[in-house]
Every structure is written in C-alpha cells, then in structure tokens.
Amino acid sequence: MLDYAALAVLAEIIRRGSFEAAAAALGVTPSAVSQRIKGLEERLGQVLVHRGPPARGTETGLRLTQHLDQVRLLETTLAAGLRPPGPAVLRLAVNADSLATWFLPVMAALPALYDLVLDDQDHARDWLRQGQVSAAISSDPDPVPGCDALPLGAMRYLALAAPGFRARHFPDGVTEASLRAAPAIIFNAKDALQSRWAEQATGKRLHLPGHRIPASEPFARAVELGLGWGMIPEAMAAPALAQGRLRPLLPDMPLDVALYWHVQRAMAPALAPLTAAIRKRAAAELRP
Amino acid sequence: MLDYAALAVLAEIIRRGSFEAAAAALGVTPSAVSQRIKGLEERLGQVLVHRGPPARGTETGLRLTQHLDQVRLLETTLAAGLRPPGPAVLRLAVNADSLATWFLPVMAALPALYDLVLDDQDHARDWLRQGQVSAAISSDPDPVPGCDALPLGAMRYLALAAPGFRARHFPDGVTEASLRAAPAIIFNAKDALQSRWAEQATGKRLHLPGHRIPASEPFARAVELGLGWGMIPEAMAAPALAQGRLRPLLPDMPLDVALYWHVQRAMAPALAPLTAAIRKRAAAELRP
C-alpha cells in the first residue's frame, strides 16, 4: 500500500511550488516535509520532485498526485461516517469554447474543488491518456483505454468577420486567393478549425496567414474588431450577429464539432452526478 | 551568416507540427523539407526538431524560430523598396486579464501577424528572459537583461462574490476561518492574487481552498454563479457590480497590480508604433 500521508505532502509541494509553502499549508516544519518526500522517494526508488525553484513534479510525481486526487474523490462516495471531511480535488480537461459557453453551471453538481485544464477540442483527451485528468471533454469519439466516451452533441461554429473586414478582404466573396491573403484568427497551434472550414469552402488545403489568440472571448472580440476572420461558436456569436457587428463569410456553411465526455472507468461512480448534469446541459445547449 | 531560407523551413515545421504540412504550405516536396533541415542541423551540430509526431522544436530550434521572426519584423522597418512582401510574425506574452480587458485594440498599430502567448501577470516576462517573445506585459518592474521596461499603470482588482455565496460563506464577515473554508476561484497554480488579498485582509498567510479556472471571463462568471470568491479586474466586474450580481467581500480593499511593457532593445525600433499605442491605451484604461 502506498503511504497516502506522504502523497498528500507531495501533492501540496507540487500544487504550491515550494517545500516551504507546502509546510506552511500543512502546519508542519519545512524539514518534516523534506524528510517525508525523501523517504517516499527512497521507498519508490524514483525522484518525485524537481527541487526548483519552483519545485515541480516529475512525471512519476505528477502521476502519484493525480492518483491521490482520484482516491480522495472515490472517498466522497463512501457512507457519511466513513468519509473524511473536506472537498476532494477533481482535475478535468475542458476545451476552451465549452468553458466559455455551456460548461460552468454543471460544476455545482459535485461538491469537489475543480482543477480545470484547458486544451482545444482536438487534444483535450491527451491529458486523459496520460492519466493527468479524471475526465475530459473532447472532440475525439474514440475512448482511451480504461475510459468510456459518451456523445454530448455538436458545437456549431460559424466562419465570421466584421462587416468592414469582410468588405475589404473578401470583395469578390470567399476565394482561394482571398483566404490566402486575409488574416485569420487562430486559437493556437493545435486549432485546425479555420483550415478545415477553408478546405470545406474551397475544396483545397490552404496555407492561412493568421494571428494566434489563445482565449475564447478575446478571440471573438478580435474578430469583431476587424483583426481577422475566425470560427466562433454560434451561441457566443449570437448577440453580435443579431446586431450586425459580425457577418458570416458564407451563408449556410457552418462547421459542427461533435463533443464527447470521456471518463476514467474507475472514477465513473464518483463522477455520476457530474456526468448526469453534463448530459442534461449538453442536450439543451448543443446540437443533437 | 545563418541560412535564413532553411530557418524559414524550420519555422514552418515547428508552427505546423509536421514536415508534410510544412512542405504543403511552402509548395515543395516533403523530402526537400527534410533535406533542408538535415543540412541545417549538420551545419549547426544540433538537433533542431524532435521528429514526433507531432514534430516539435528543440530549445535551439525554438530559439532560431523566434530569431527569424525578429529579423522579419526588423525588415518591416526598411524602406518600402527593400521590404519583402507579406506581414511579419510578432510573438508577445500578454497576461490573460489584460487580453480580456484593454489590450486587443492596440494590435491594429502594427501590420504584423500576432502570436500571443498567455501567462498570468506574475510570470509573463519569463518568456522574454528565455528569448521566446519580443515583448511582454508583466507585473515585474525589473527589466530582463537586453530589455527595457516601461510602466503602464495599475490594474485594479476587487475581491468579489455573488450575494448568496457571500451570505452563506461569510456570515460574520471576512475572517481567517471563513477564508480557510470558503472556496476561492484561482486562475492557475501561479495565481497568487487571492492569497495576497487574504493576507492583506487578515495579516496572515492562509491556505485557501479553491477551484482552478484558467480563463478570464469564465473565471468571472464562475464567481457570479456562486462557485467561489475571486479577484476580478474592476473594469471587467463593473456591469455585474452595478446590477448587484457581484458584491465586494470587503468595501475599500482593492488590490492594485502595476503592469510594465517589457521590450527587447533590438526590437524597440520595429515595435515603436505598438509601444506608443499601448502607452496611450494604458493611460486611458489603467490607474496611474
């Protein structure tokens, strides 16, 4: 059996970035913290913390911290008298556009402290495969080994631009030449939505020039400000579309991205209330 | 002299994550791309790309890509006839709350493609020290070697909560006990604003339980939804405060975070129009 008291010390160090801060949070001396970790490292025969500063978990150290969080979360499903006091930490990967639109209210379904990790919709599940999160919202339909994937519905994206930008950069409509020249707004290096839409519109893979703005609302506002065109979730764009501050580049050419809720099977019972809340809200907010 | 044509190939591979995608973007064959990189690596005696997939730059590879971007940006300051066509790429570190509030409109000041890197205000300048960005907005007043730091003014944060959350978790006001028990919303592991405010309010360093929500607008909405209390920029909170959806935990206890514009000295001439726009907008939007 692992030494869970020592794992709790390890988790504090990794969360707070220093032995001193962990000692203060736990109400013990820094040397007690240091001895505890040394003992754990010797027993496991592996370094668990890069000493820093800042102190950072090694791959094994991070894996053990995540394991501890999962054990704590499972403890919350015990009968009341057996349950330790205080909330468990639940680490989830959520794509930025879900967080910006429909996800937040479901968090109230579980009395946990949430540690959200952001990733774009094509890669969030990598965290799950690496054992860094207990569950993830991802566009990948294939479950990771040891996980189940539930379909949630599709998030609809529209290719939008400010009216002035559209008139200036697409005077003859959406053509290969105009897409090669007009700056796009791109979330980050992993964001392929703009390229996918351009391929759908022209039948060709194009090299799109673009700004990178890795935050959902600033992304949408950059499009409104005329800095570029970009793919914005329909729900987020609705007010600006209604008021004419945003226009579609092409009518009737949305891009639907299906989303899935991936859950580690061992965590599924503890996460059941959250899973139910997510399914209900997704059914209302996403497209079937 | 470095082989800049080969550097351009390297940059495409790192940006697109594969030799094939870089070849398609450049209109050459994958084997031409591969030979070019092999030649560059042999001349420099270092690996520049981890082959992947996805292909990722080594530390040296990333440093060379950033150098190429800076050279391209400097080229934009040449007389028109000497200037190569097409926009340069400008990589900047911006703290998430500046991006969410005042930063976006200044981007129009330079005809560059922006590659924004997000970091919270206490750490954005690390990117600058590592040579990964040409300039950064940071709360650190000390310039990195080779850089200058211009004071921009202060962003004011308020400790806020939804009225119901405040009544439930702070029935006797802000005390050590209530702060130790009530969940805070925390941006990420580096975000010390909530702890700093709690120390200011109680005179003690406290261990705050909290959710981590690493995106500015979702952070503010989570506070509005009653998931926790948190430090929100005054400008972002104004509408919800006026409508009573958010309340201060304590009256008259803001936290001001001074921000600085750090610029690599070699890039300062090319960035001058952006620097002027940033100073002007910061003077209007931040506190002196």
Side-chain angles (χ1 to χ4, degrees):
Chain A
M1 192 81 198
L2 284 165
D3 176 354
Y4 282 92
L7 286 192
V9 173
L10 174 69
E12 284 295 340
I13 294 168
I14 292 176
R15 290 234 163 77
R16 297 177 183 282
S18 85
F19 282 60
E20 293 69 29
L26 295 165
V28 298
T29 64
S31 93
V33 163
S34 180
Q35 280 168 31
R36 199 92 205 214
I37 293 304
K38 235 166 127 184
L40 188 63
E41 289 182 329
E42 278 165 12
R43 252 164 300 148
L44 297 175
Q46 293 198 48
V47 178
L48 303 175
V49 184
H50 298 298
R51 262 57 177 179
R56 285 180 308 111
T58 62
E59 202 171 312
T60 310
L62 292 171
R63 188 67 197 81
L64 284 172
T65 302
Q66 168 62 6
H67 170 72
L68 175 71
D69 286 342
Q70 292 178 341
V71 170
R72 279 177 171 156
L73 198 67
L74 288 174
E75 285 178 352
T76 64
T77 63
L78 295 172
L82 300 172
R83 209 179 292 164
V89 173
L90 173 57
R91 199 153 198 252
L92 300 181
V94 182
N95 63 307
D97 287 336
S98 288
L99 182 60
T101 51
W102 63 274
F103 182 78
L104 280 174
V106 306
M107 289 170 59
L110 263 193
L113 291 178
Y114 287 81
D115 184 358
L116 302 186
V117 181
L118 275 194
D119 212 320
D120 70 283
Q121 64 280 349
D122 289 330
H123 301 263
R125 75 194 281 275
D126 290 348
W127 293 92
L128 198 65
R129 190 187 294 117
Q130 295 158 13
Q132 299 283 325
V133 297
S134 296
I137 293 172
S138 157
S139 63
D140 196 323
D142 300 324
V144 173
C147 295
D148 290 314
L150 295 170
L152 293 176
M155 185 170 278
R156 171 157 290 187
Y157 287 83
L158 304 175
L160 300 172
F165 182 92
R166 191 164 162 274
R168 195 160 63 253
H169 291 275
F170 297 96
D172 307 316
V174 173
T175 62
E176 268 185 60
S178 57
L179 284 170
R180 279 189 214 274
I185 313 278
I186 296 168
F187 192 83
N188 61 22
K190 295 173 179 174
D191 173 15
L193 286 182
Q194 285 65 225
S195 301
R196 277 165 58 192
W197 186 85
E199 189 170 356
Q200 187 175 301
T202 64
K204 291 209 183 163
R205 282 180 165 271
L206 301 177
H207 173 186
L208 301 177
H211 302 290
R212 292 210 184 137
I213 302 190
S216 294
E217 289 85 350
F219 181 113
R221 271 210 303 286
V223 174
E224 267 189 54
L225 285 170
L227 292 165
W229 70 275
M231 304 300 295
I232 304 180
E234 193 181 34
M236 198 188 289
L241 265 170
Q243 290 162 31
R245 287 177 284 127
L246 287 176
R247 294 263 178 81
L249 287 192
L250 284 176
D252 307 320
M253 197 179 280
L255 190 67
D256 287 347
V257 175
L259 295 176
Y260 299 83
W261 173 235
H262 294 255
V263 186
Q264 291 200 0
R265 225 163 278 146
M267 300 300 294
L271 296 185
L274 180 63
T275 297
I278 284 178
R279 295 185 83 159
K280 192 174 161 199
R281 187 148 171 92
E285 302 286 329
L286 300 178
R287 289 182 172 255
Chain B
M1 195 75 196
L2 284 165
D3 175 354
Y4 282 92
L7 286 191
V9 173
L10 173 68
E12 284 295 341
I13 294 169
I14 293 177
R15 288 236 164 77
R16 296 178 183 282
S18 86
F19 282 59
E20 292 69 30
L26 295 165
V28 298
T29 64
S31 93
V33 163
S34 180
Q35 279 168 32
R36 199 93 204 214
I37 293 303
K38 234 166 129 184
L40 188 62
E41 288 183 330
E42 278 165 12
R43 252 165 298 147
L44 297 174
Q46 292 198 49
V47 177
L48 302 176
V49 184
H50 298 299
R51 261 56 176 181
R56 284 180 307 113
T58 63
E59 203 171 312
T60 309
L62 291 171
R63 188 67 197 81
L64 285 172
T65 302
Q66 169 62 4
H67 169 73
L68 175 71
D69 286 341
Q70 292 177 341
V71 170
R72 279 178 172 155
L73 198 67
L74 289 173
E75 285 178 350
T76 65
T77 62
L78 295 172
L82 300 173
R83 208 178 295 165
V89 173
L90 173 57
R91 199 154 198 252
L92 301 180
V94 182
N95 64 307
D97 286 337
S98 288
L99 181 60
T101 51
W102 63 274
F103 182 78
L104 280 173
V106 307
M107 289 169 58
L110 264 192
L113 290 178
Y114 287 81
D115 183 358
L116 301 186
V117 181
L118 274 194
D119 211 323
D120 71 283
Q121 64 280 352
D122 290 330
H123 301 263
R125 75 195 281 275
D126 291 348
W127 292 92
L128 197 65
R129 189 187 294 118
Q130 295 158 12
Q132 299 283 325
V133 296
S134 297
I137 292 173
S138 157
S139 62
D140 196 324
D142 300 324
V144 173
C147 295
D148 290 313
L150 295 171
L152 293 176
M155 184 169 281
R156 171 157 289 188
Y157 286 84
L158 304 175
L160 300 172
F165 182 92
R166 190 163 163 275
R168 197 162 61 254
H169 290 276
F170 297 96
D172 307 317
V174 173
T175 62
E176 268 185 62
S178 57
L179 285 170
R180 279 190 214 274
I185 313 278
I186 295 168
F187 193 84
N188 62 21
K190 294 174 179 175
D191 174 16
L193 286 182
Q194 285 68 222
S195 301
R196 277 165 58 192
W197 186 85
E199 188 171 358
Q200 187 175 302
T202 65
K204 291 209 181 162
R205 282 181 163 272
L206 300 177
H207 173 186
L208 301 177
H211 302 291
R212 294 212 181 132
I213 302 189
S216 293
E217 289 85 350
F219 181 113
R221 270 209 303 285
V223 174
E224 266 189 56
L225 286 170
L227 292 166
W229 69 276
M231 305 299 295
I232 304 179
E234 192 181 33
M236 198 188 287
L241 265 171
Q243 291 161 32
R245 286 178 283 127
L246 288 175
R247 293 265 178 78
L249 288 191
L250 285 176
D252 308 322
M253 196 178 279
L255 190 68
D256 287 347
V257 175
L259 294 176
Y260 300 83
W261 173 236
H262 295 255
V263 185
Q264 291 200 1
R265 223 163 280 146
M267 300 300 293
L271 296 184
L274 180 63
T275 297
I278 284 178
R279 295 184 83 158
K280 192 172 161 204
R281 186 146 171 93
E285 301 287 331
L286 300 178
R287 289 182 172 254

